[in-house]
């Protein structure tokens, strides 16, 4: 069992996290605190905490300050907040993940599965509700309906009135769709991210990141859009390997 503690001053947020935890059999709530001062006093005495869910924008003691005091008491720390502006600060205090409210159960469960790979029910609960492919009319083949597997997609690129679907076989599919249509299609599939208004990418297919430039496995490259910088920072905060060496 994964012993969890929730620290959030908003009851509706506590209720949402509690509901998601109850849907994953191997997770167990051992403490809930809506008062960060009380959390500071009580969690400090806990000895067996696997996962701490921490809001950031709280009265008297914010989550970043509280995390500095409690980080050593938990194996993993997940920040849950409505504000993307704290992403870099969360990374600085060794947060393991950053969930922007409101987040779906798919986003929640895939995050848990990434942090605790042996929590197999999280992975199963997501994959069992999602197909492995979708069907789309391809403009390049006289609107023939083709089958596209999600795992073969490198990126979706908006191009005039169409979306170009870049695939691992280097043969793109051109569909009369919008980026909004693609976002609705992808739903809670966590590997797909939008860091530019014209691109949705599979993070599995990133070749490298240099500054604000992302280059994909097929050499497609773009700069992170200004309005997507916070989301990009949150992604890096959750994925970038950090050293345990003390400065």
């Amino acid at each position: 069992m994964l012993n969890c503690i929730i620290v959030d001053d908003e009851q509706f947020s506590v209720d949402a996290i509690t509901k998601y935890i109850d849907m994953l059999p191997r997770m167990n709530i051992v403490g809930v605190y809506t008062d960060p001062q009380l959390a500071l006093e009580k969690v400090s005495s806990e000895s067996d905490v696997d996962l701490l869910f921490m809001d950031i924008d709280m009265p008297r003691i914010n989550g970043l300050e509280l995390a500095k005091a409690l980080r050593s008491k938990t194996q993993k720390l997940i920040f849950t907040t409505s504000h993307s502006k704290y992403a870099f600060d969360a990374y600085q205090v060794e947060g393991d993940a950053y969930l922007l409210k409101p987040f779906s159960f798919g986003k929640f469960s895939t995050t848990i599965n990434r942090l605790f790979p042996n929590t197999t029910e999280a992975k199963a609960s997501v994959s069992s509700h999602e197909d492995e492919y979708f069907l789309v009319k391809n403009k390049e083949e006289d609107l023939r309906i083709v089958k596209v597997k999600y795992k073969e997609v490198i990126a979706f690129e908006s191009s005039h009135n169409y979306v170009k679907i870049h695939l691992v076989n280097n043969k793109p599919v051109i569909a009369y769709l919008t980026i909004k249509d693609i976002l609705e299609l992808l739903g809670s599939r966590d590997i797909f991210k939008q860091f530019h208004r014209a691109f949705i990418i599979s993070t599995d297919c990133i070749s490298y990141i240099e500054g604000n430039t992302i280059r994909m496995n097929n050499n497609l490259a773009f700069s992170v859009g200004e309005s997507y910088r916070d989301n990009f920072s949150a992604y890096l905060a959750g994925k970038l390997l950090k050293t345990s060496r003390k400065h």
Side-chain angles (χ1 to χ4, degrees):
M1 296 291 290
L2 300 177
N3 289 329
C4 310
I5 288 178
I6 304 170
V7 183
D8 197 312
D9 66 314
E10 298 175 320
Q11 187 59 50
F12 69 88
S13 294
V14 170
D15 293 342
I17 296 172
T18 299
K19 177 183 176 181
Y20 288 165
I21 289 176
D22 289 342
M23 295 169 68
L24 300 176
R26 287 183 58 193
M27 299 184 71
N28 176 48
I29 298 175
V30 296
V32 175
Y33 303 95
T34 54
D35 182 345
Q37 181 64 45
L38 183 60
L40 179 60
E41 298 170 5
K42 296 293 186 180
V43 179
S44 296
S45 63
E46 295 283 350
S47 59
D48 188 21
V49 182
D50 297 301
L51 183 54
L52 179 59
F53 294 96
M54 181 85 72
D55 188 17
I56 293 181
D57 196 7
M58 296 186 291
R60 295 192 298 278
I61 306 175
N62 70 42
L64 297 171
E65 295 170 333
L66 191 57
K68 293 176 182 178
L70 301 181
R71 183 63 186 87
S72 63
K73 304 301 297 184
T74 181
Q75 185 179 348
K76 299 292 184 182
L77 170 63
I78 296 179
F79 284 104
T80 58
T81 176
S82 302
H83 306 284
S84 59
K85 64 183 179 181
Y86 297 120
F88 182 74
D89 295 316
Y91 164 73
Q92 292 289 83
V93 294
E94 300 183 34
D96 296 287
Y98 194 92
L99 291 174
L100 280 174
K101 302 175 184 175
F103 46 86
S104 66
F105 175 67
K107 175 71 172 177
F108 178 86
S109 57
T110 52
T111 298
I112 300 301
N113 189 64
R114 175 172 64 81
L115 298 181
F116 297 94
N118 291 329
T119 312
T120 54
E121 74 278 0
K123 184 175 182 180
S125 65
V126 176
S127 61
S128 64
H129 291 87
E130 294 182 334
D131 293 327
E132 296 180 353
Y133 65 91
F134 60 93
L135 300 176
V136 67
K137 292 181 179 179
N138 186 9
K139 177 176 176 288
E140 299 298 286
E141 298 182 78
D142 296 323
L143 299 182
R144 175 185 292 175
I145 296 176
V146 298
K147 176 181 177 180
V148 178
K149 295 182 179 180
Y150 288 101
K151 65 180 181 180
E152 295 178 351
V153 174
I154 294 176
F156 299 91
E157 178 185 2
S158 177
S159 180
H160 303 294
N161 293 323
Y162 296 87
V163 167
K164 179 184 290 188
I165 305 172
H166 298 269
L167 302 173
V168 294
N169 64 7
N170 292 320
K171 184 180 180 182
V173 171
I174 310 295
Y176 188 64
L177 297 168
T178 65
I179 285 294
K180 182 180 178 181
D181 294 330
I182 299 301
L183 287 172
E184 293 177 355
L185 169 72
L186 296 174
S188 61
R189 293 178 185 276
D190 195 47
I191 67 166
F192 290 99
K193 302 290 185 185
Q194 185 176 18
F195 298 133
H196 187 284
R197 64 181 179 82
F199 294 95
I200 298 173
I201 63 170
S202 168
T203 53
D204 282 351
C205 296
I206 293 175
S207 178
Y208 63 83
I209 298 170
E210 187 171 10
N212 286 322
T213 299
I214 300 175
R215 185 170 295 276
M216 307 302 291
N217 290 344
N218 64 344
N219 283 324
L220 175 70
F222 63 93
S223 295
V224 175
E226 186 66 34
S227 60
Y228 297 90
R229 294 286 175 85
D230 288 340
N231 288 342
F232 180 59
S233 295
Y235 167 74
L236 287 181
K239 289 292 189 181
L240 190 62
L241 186 63
K242 304 182 288 288
T243 181
S244 59
R245 183 183 295 117
K246 300 299 180 182
H247 296 291

